């Protein structure tokens, strides 16, 4: 493969090591956008927040289009839920939904051709205008009516979602059970286990001998060092110490495994006369899976509140391993009674079949990711012809195979260049910055895909050109994933929780080829259920930038506002719409974005506590017409300073989903019925038409209010 298709990170280079990437983007924009100026970039950032973000940001973009301001933006940077809407717009702007040679509407960024219409655009005027209005209204109606995108109906419902989750759990359970049965069969064949209790003691003794052997060798070494305690510590002594310290974590797990197998075997031998032994194993495994998957927000939390929350993953893993051990030992025990020495043949055969299937089974196709991707695609990238014709559009055949490398900028409109932001999981990185953050910002765009950690590969070559538009949207919104969490924190970053999620393939994320030539020269190679899938559980040392396959998750696991890449490109004007859930107004996503931009790019944002206080609802003296607090405003304006350039300043407009005194009566009516609006839980991904419209209208009104600000309008002139 042509090495030129891969751009390596340049240590000490401009634009935080992405100079070559940025220049290629700008060369492309200069050819395809009118009046593009690399020193006067305008960027629009849409935050994460699921369907709430998509509906709120729809209102914001409608307002920008209605005032002919959307066409001014060079970049559209989206994260998670913001990418739902961004993906929908890129799909419609591209025109790829048409059949070859087909005539149809050309969607753009202005009031007259914005795909989802704009407020106040009446059904009047010429017949052509009426037809255009009707088409745009059809697309908007489709979004409103599909807010429950995970359970869209027409045969796909909540049971479908449960079935996909259950499938992953069953596959993981069978895989573990077959592997454990193979292990127990080997132990019986080697006479380390038998049908008597005495063999359990052998395993315990073997485990203790391993531990004693390690301690004796280590003790002798330390004694030799102590004899010359006043001498200078030599380099060889220091390096030998490090080797011992590395060996202990390798020895200890096997010691614990041997002891646990011995304990379970003793339990099986004592109770093998009970026909309920398989049920004991199954129930234990089920309890383990339940305990390991309980979150604080779960309804089961109250049932098991007597168990400390931090102990649940640990107890869950113990119960699950115990249950699988019991079942595996019981199966082998019965095989020995039934077929004698042939038990090893049966278990080896089953294990080989498992390995063969796992080796060729593509992991991305059997995880929840595929279900999530398809449902997003059907809602936000439907077969447009059917929608415009007023027909039910439950499928999205055309978008299904549309690669993001095909999303070129159109000749007839000023559509912005789209950056989908994801997170590449690097919890075992050799670089402390990536390891501490849990990952690095990974872009998916029409030209290149990648990150600082992996470099950037041309999109048409990345994963053999297999990253489609629906996949990019789903990857950027893969909120539930092992080894990752918002800004690199959260319960799903817990190793035990991550192990359980990985075993049962409970992930919305995506295994992709490493863009780097040195680690994955064959971009056509597919990730399998065996490797990197189950390999991730067994060997957790390959979740880094040197792996042949890297795991991509929600962009919010790195930075949830989409500001990072716009700051990297030194955008002079940025409008960022923050639609993430923040009921306590902690502004955590904003703080995270500013901190990372300061550390990585030397960017500072002049935004103080008083500025943010204006966004926090507070009861005002004399305010008697509302029974809940209101904010002074729903957006703030701040100055950006790029310290690596003289007099390089910019302007940041930060929009927040908050109720201010300028919001209309219809929104307040919805607020009275739903007190947690506009910060309803992100777990709610099942919007009805009324809820969708409330957030869309809120975004519309806030953006129109922003566009009356003189400081903001000066930038657009």
């Amino acid at each position: 493969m042509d090495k030129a298709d891969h751009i390596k990170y340049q240590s000490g280079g401009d634009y935080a090591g992405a100079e070559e990437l940025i220049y290629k983007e700008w060369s492309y924009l200069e050819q395809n956008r009118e009046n593009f100026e690399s020193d006067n970039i305008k960027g629009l950032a849409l935050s994460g927040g699921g369907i709430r973000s998509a509906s709120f940001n729809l209102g914001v973009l409608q307002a920008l289009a209605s005032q002919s301001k959307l066409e001014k933006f060079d970049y559209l940077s989206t994260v998670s839920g913001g990418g739902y809407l961004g993906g929908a717009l890129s799909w419609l702007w591209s025109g790829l939904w048409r059949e070859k040679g087909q005539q149809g509407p050309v969607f753009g960024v202005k009031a007259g051709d914005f795909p989802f219409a704009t407020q106040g655009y009446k059904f009047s005027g010429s017949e052509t205008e009426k037809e255009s209005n009707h088409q745009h209204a059809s697309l908007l109606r489709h979004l409103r009516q599909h807010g429950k995108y995970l359970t869209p109906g027409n045969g796909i419902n909540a049971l479908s979602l449960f079935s996909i989750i259950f499938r992953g759990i069953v596959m993981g359970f069978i895989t573990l059970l077959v592997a454990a049965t193979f292990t127990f069969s080997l132990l019986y064949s080697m006479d380390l286990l038998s049908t008597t209790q005495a063999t359990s003691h052998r395993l315990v003794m073997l485990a203790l001998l391993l531990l004693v052997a390690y301690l004796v060798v280590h003790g002798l070494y330390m004694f030799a060092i102590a004899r010359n305690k006043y001498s200078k510590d030599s380099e060889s002594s220091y390096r030998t110490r490090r080797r011992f310290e590395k060996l202990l974590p390798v020895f200890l797990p096997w010691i614990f495994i041997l002891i646990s197998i011995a304990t379970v075997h003793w339990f099986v031998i004592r109770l093998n006369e009970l026909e309920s032994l398989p049920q004991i194993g199954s129930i234990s495994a089920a309890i383990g899976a339940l305990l390991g998957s309980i979150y604080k927000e779960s309804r089961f939390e109250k049932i098991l509140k007597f168990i400390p929350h931090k102990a649940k993953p640990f107890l869950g893993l113990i119960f699950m391993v115990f249950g699988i051990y019991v079942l595996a030992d019981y199966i082998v025990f019965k095989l020995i009674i039934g077929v004698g020495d042939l038990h090893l043949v049966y278990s080896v055969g089953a294990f080989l079949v498992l390995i063969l299937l796992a080796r060729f089974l593509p992991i991305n196709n059997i995880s929840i990711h595929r279900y999530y991707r398809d449902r997003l695609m059907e809602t936000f990238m439907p077969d447009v012809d059917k929608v415009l014709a007023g027909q039910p559009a439950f499928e999205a055949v055309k978008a299904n195979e549309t690669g993001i490398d095909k999303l070129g900028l159109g000749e007839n409109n000023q559509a912005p260049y789209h950056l989908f932001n994801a997170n590449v999981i690097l919890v075992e990185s050799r670089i402390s910055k990536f390891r501490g953050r849990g990952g690095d910002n990974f872009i998916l765009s029409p030209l290149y895909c990648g990150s600082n950690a992996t470099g950037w590969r041309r999109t048409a070559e990345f994963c053999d050109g297999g990253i489609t538009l629906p996949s990019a949207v789903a990857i950027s919104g893969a909120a539930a994933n092992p080894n990752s969490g918002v800004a690199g924190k959260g319960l799903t970053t817990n190793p035990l929780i991550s192990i359980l999620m990985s075993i049962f393939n409970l992930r919305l994320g995506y295994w992709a080829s490493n863009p780097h030539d040195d680690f994955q020269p064959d971009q056509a190679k597919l990730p399998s259920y065996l490797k990197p899938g189950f390999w991730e559980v067994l060997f957790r040392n390959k979740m880094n930038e040197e792996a042949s396959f890297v795991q991509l998750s929600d962009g919010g696991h790195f930075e949830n506002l989409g500001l990072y890449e716009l700051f990297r490109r030194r955008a002079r004007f940025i409008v960022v719409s923050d639609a993430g859930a923040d009921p306590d107004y902690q502004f955590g996503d904003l703080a995270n974005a500013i901190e990372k931009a300061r550390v990585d790019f030397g960017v500072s944002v002049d935004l103080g506590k008083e500025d943010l206080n204006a966004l926090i609802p507070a009861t005002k003296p004399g305010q008697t017409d509302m029974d809940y607090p209101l904010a002074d405003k729903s957006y703030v304006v701040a100055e950006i300073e790029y310290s690596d350039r003289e007099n390089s300043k910019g302007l940041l407009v930060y929009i927040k989903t908050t109720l201010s005194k300028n919001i209309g009566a219809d929104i307040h009516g919805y607020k009275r019925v739903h007190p947690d609006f506009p910060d309803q839980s992100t777990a709610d991904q099942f919007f009805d038409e009324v809820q969708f419209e409330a957030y869309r209208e809120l975004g519309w009104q806030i953006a129109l209010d922003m566009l009356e600000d003189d400081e903001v309008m000066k930038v657009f002139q």
Side-chain angles (χ1 to χ4, degrees):
M1 184 167 289
D2 185 2
K3 293 268 185 178
D5 286 336
H6 177 252
I7 299 174
K8 293 186 177 180
Y9 165 75
Q10 300 163 298
S11 179
D14 207 359
Y15 302 100
E19 183 175 357
E20 186 178 349
L21 169 74
I22 303 301
Y23 286 160
K24 286 182 179 292
E25 279 184 5
W26 289 352
S27 175
Y28 177 77
L29 288 168
E30 285 172 355
Q31 296 174 25
N32 291 277
R33 280 187 61 83
E34 296 178 6
N35 304 317
F36 174 75
E37 301 175 61
S38 60
D39 59 350
N40 191 26
I41 289 173
K42 295 179 178 65
L44 178 60
L46 307 182
S47 80
I51 189 66
R52 178 185 62 246
S53 175
S55 51
F56 176 81
N57 284 314
L58 173 57
V60 172
L61 267 67
Q62 283 178 313
L64 290 170
S66 72
Q67 302 296 313
S68 299
K69 299 297 182 289
L70 185 55
E71 63 189 278
K72 305 290 186 181
F73 290 96
D74 304 296
Y75 280 95
L76 174 63
S77 179
T78 64
V79 183
S80 195
Y84 298 179
L85 178 66
L89 289 170
S90 287
W91 173 234
L92 294 167
W93 285 333
S94 72
L96 296 172
W97 48 270
R98 298 190 198 92
E99 295 289 351
K100 190 174 182 179
Q102 176 188 4
Q103 297 297 317
V106 176
F107 297 118
V109 294
K110 298 181 179 179
D113 57 17
F114 186 70
F116 299 108
T118 53
Q119 284 280 357
Y121 202 61
K122 306 297 183 184
F123 289 91
S124 60
S126 67
E127 290 301 315
T128 302
E129 289 174 329
K130 289 180 181 179
E131 176 64 19
S132 177
N133 287 327
H134 176 73
Q135 291 169 339
H136 296 184
S138 297
L139 291 168
L140 179 57
R141 189 182 306 114
H142 174 81
L143 286 190
R144 280 200 190 108
Q145 294 174 351
H146 288 78
K148 299 179 181 180
Y149 65 93
L150 289 174
T151 54
N154 193 38
I156 297 179
N157 49 37
L159 190 58
S160 303
L161 176 58
F162 173 78
S163 299
I164 297 298
I165 296 172
F166 184 68
R167 180 187 68 184
I169 292 174
V170 170
M171 288 181 65
F173 183 80
I174 291 174
T175 301
L176 285 176
L177 184 59
V178 171
T181 302
F182 170 69
T183 302
F184 273 88
S185 187
L186 281 179
L187 291 173
Y188 275 104
S189 298
M190 296 165 62
D191 289 331
L192 290 173
L193 291 180
S194 72
T195 55
T196 66
Q197 293 181 33
T199 55
S200 303
H201 303 152
R202 295 181 197 170
L203 288 180
V204 175
M205 292 302 298
L206 178 61
L208 292 177
L209 282 174
L210 285 174
L211 180 59
V212 168
Y214 172 85
L215 293 175
V216 167
V217 174
H218 186 256
L220 290 173
Y221 168 74
M222 295 304 295
F223 176 73
I225 295 296
R227 290 186 62 188
N228 196 18
K229 62 181 179 179
Y230 296 111
S231 66
K232 187 177 180 180
D233 198 6
S234 66
E235 179 181 343
S236 61
S237 174
Y238 164 67
R239 292 187 181 279
T240 305
R241 278 203 311 278
R242 285 183 58 84
R243 292 190 191 100
F244 273 110
E245 289 160 359
K246 288 180 179 180
L247 277 175
L248 188 57
V250 175
F251 268 95
L252 281 180
W254 290 105
I255 291 170
F256 291 138
I257 287 172
L258 286 173
I259 292 175
S260 64
I261 289 176
T263 303
V264 172
H265 181 67
W266 177 86
F267 179 84
V268 172
I269 296 301
R270 290 290 299 270
L271 299 178
N272 75 81
E273 68 274 8
L274 296 178
E275 290 300 322
S276 60
L277 193 58
Q279 289 87 331
I280 293 174
S282 301
I283 292 171
S284 297
I287 291 174
L290 175 64
L291 285 173
S293 62
I294 286 178
Y295 287 47
K296 281 188 175 180
E297 295 79 14
S298 171
R299 67 186 65 181
F300 298 108
E301 183 72 17
K302 294 181 180 178
I303 300 175
L304 299 172
K305 60 183 178 181
F306 58 89
I307 302 176
H309 182 64
K310 292 183 178 180
K312 288 186 176 71
F314 183 70
L315 290 175
L317 196 60
I318 289 177
F319 270 97
M320 188 188 70
V321 170
F322 174 77
I324 289 174
Y325 275 2
V326 168
L327 286 173
D329 197 358
Y330 180 81
I331 290 170
V332 175
F333 191 80
K334 289 298 184 182
L335 279 174
I336 291 173
I337 294 174
V339 299
D341 292 339
L342 287 176
H343 71 88
L344 184 59
V345 176
Y346 282 84
S347 59
V348 169
F351 186 68
L352 290 177
V353 170
L354 173 71
I355 294 295
L356 186 65
L357 289 174
R359 173 64 182 82
F360 294 102
L361 196 61
I363 188 170
N364 290 324
N365 291 2
I366 59 173
S367 68
I368 311 174
H369 164 84
R370 182 55 60 128
Y371 179 92
Y372 178 57
R373 169 201 183 270
D374 289 351
R375 301 295 82 78
L376 286 173
M377 176 179 68
E378 291 155 3
T379 294
F380 295 96
M381 291 147 276
D383 287 339
V384 179
D385 292 337
K386 291 183 178 180
V387 177
L388 296 181
Q391 300 173 4
F394 290 106
E395 295 182 343
V397 177
K398 295 174 184 175
N400 185 54
E401 297 181 355
T402 300
I404 57 171
D405 60 301
K406 306 299 183 185
L407 299 178
L409 300 181
E411 297 179 0
N412 298 319
N413 63 62
Q414 285 287 289
Y417 183 81
H418 198 161
L419 298 174
F420 289 97
N421 294 276
N423 174 59
V424 54
I425 296 174
L426 304 171
V427 293
E428 297 294 336
S429 173
R430 295 172 182 264
I431 300 172
S432 57
K433 181 177 78 171
F434 297 144
R435 188 171 62 251
R437 293 175 173 180
D440 188 25
N441 201 72
F442 193 103
I443 63 166
L444 301 163
S445 73
L447 289 183
Y448 283 88
C449 298
S451 68
N452 278 6
T454 61
W456 300 266
R457 178 171 287 278
R458 185 172 290 277
T459 303
E461 303 294 339
F462 177 55
C463 292
D464 199 31
I467 302 297
T468 61
L469 174 60
S471 295
V473 172
I475 291 168
S476 179
N481 207 74
N483 302 294
S484 59
V486 177
K489 301 176 183 178
L491 190 61
T492 48
T493 61
N494 182 296
L496 292 178
I497 286 287
S498 295
I499 288 173
L500 286 170
M501 292 179 70
S502 298
I503 288 172
F504 298 127
N505 207 15
L506 298 177
R507 70 179 80 245
L508 294 177
Y510 188 88
W511 283 103
S513 298
N514 192 329
H516 204 292
D517 276 317
D518 294 343
F519 306 116
Q520 183 58 286
D522 183 6
Q523 290 288 310
K525 192 173 182 180
L526 290 176
S528 72
Y529 186 71
L530 176 65
K531 185 178 181 180
F534 228 74
W535 220 251
E536 173 195 14
V537 181
L538 298 176
F539 305 103
R540 291 175 56 83
N541 64 334
K542 271 297 184 180
M543 286 182 287
N544 57 33
E545 63 279 7
E546 297 179 2
S548 56
F549 293 103
V550 293
Q551 192 173 168
L552 305 180
S553 69
D554 194 312
H557 294 161
F558 182 85
E559 190 269 296
N560 200 40
L561 296 183
L563 285 172
Y564 189 80
E565 295 295 337
L566 295 180
F567 282 141
R568 184 203 291 272
R569 288 157 178 77
R570 301 193 189 103
R572 292 299 186 93
F573 179 62
I574 301 174
V575 174
V576 54
S577 175
D578 183 358
D582 188 15
D584 298 324
Y585 293 90
Q586 296 178 344
F587 304 100
D589 288 340
L590 179 63
N592 176 53
I594 291 175
E595 184 270 335
K596 283 186 168 67
R598 182 177 63 249
V599 171
D600 293 356
F601 310 137
V603 175
S604 61
V605 178
D606 186 14
L607 194 60
K609 181 180 178 181
E610 291 184 2
D611 299 309
L612 294 178
N613 282 343
L615 302 173
I616 302 175
T619 304
K620 307 296 188 298
Q623 179 182 308
T624 58
D625 56 334
M626 297 294 175
D627 53 1
Y628 49 84
L630 298 175
D632 285 337
K633 55 199 308 187
S634 298
Y635 73 93
V636 293
V637 180
E639 186 178 84
I640 309 169
E641 183 172 352
Y642 296 100
S643 59
D644 58 345
R645 290 288 188 276
E646 288 187 19
N647 301 319
S648 182
K649 296 185 182 296
L651 202 67
L652 174 71
V653 180
Y654 174 68
I655 296 175
K656 183 73 171 174
T657 49
T658 187
L659 293 178
S660 68
K661 55 189 177 183
N662 297 327
I663 300 301
D666 53 341
I667 301 299
H668 290 296
Y670 185 85
K671 169 71 173 179
R672 287 192 176 93
V673 179
H674 303 86
D676 50 352
F677 175 82
D679 282 294
Q680 290 158 312
S681 171
T682 308
D684 181 7
Q685 293 295 298
F686 304 91
F687 275 28
D688 57 23
E689 290 188 49
V690 176
Q691 190 175 13
F692 183 97
E693 183 60 17
Y695 279 97
R696 188 210 60 77
E697 179 66 18
L698 179 63
W700 162 263
Q701 293 191 22
I702 291 174
L704 283 183
D705 188 31
M706 175 201 71
L707 290 172
E708 294 180 359
D709 190 302
D710 291 339
E711 189 176 7
V712 174
M713 292 304 292
K714 285 180 183 178
V715 179
F716 286 116
Q717 293 175 356

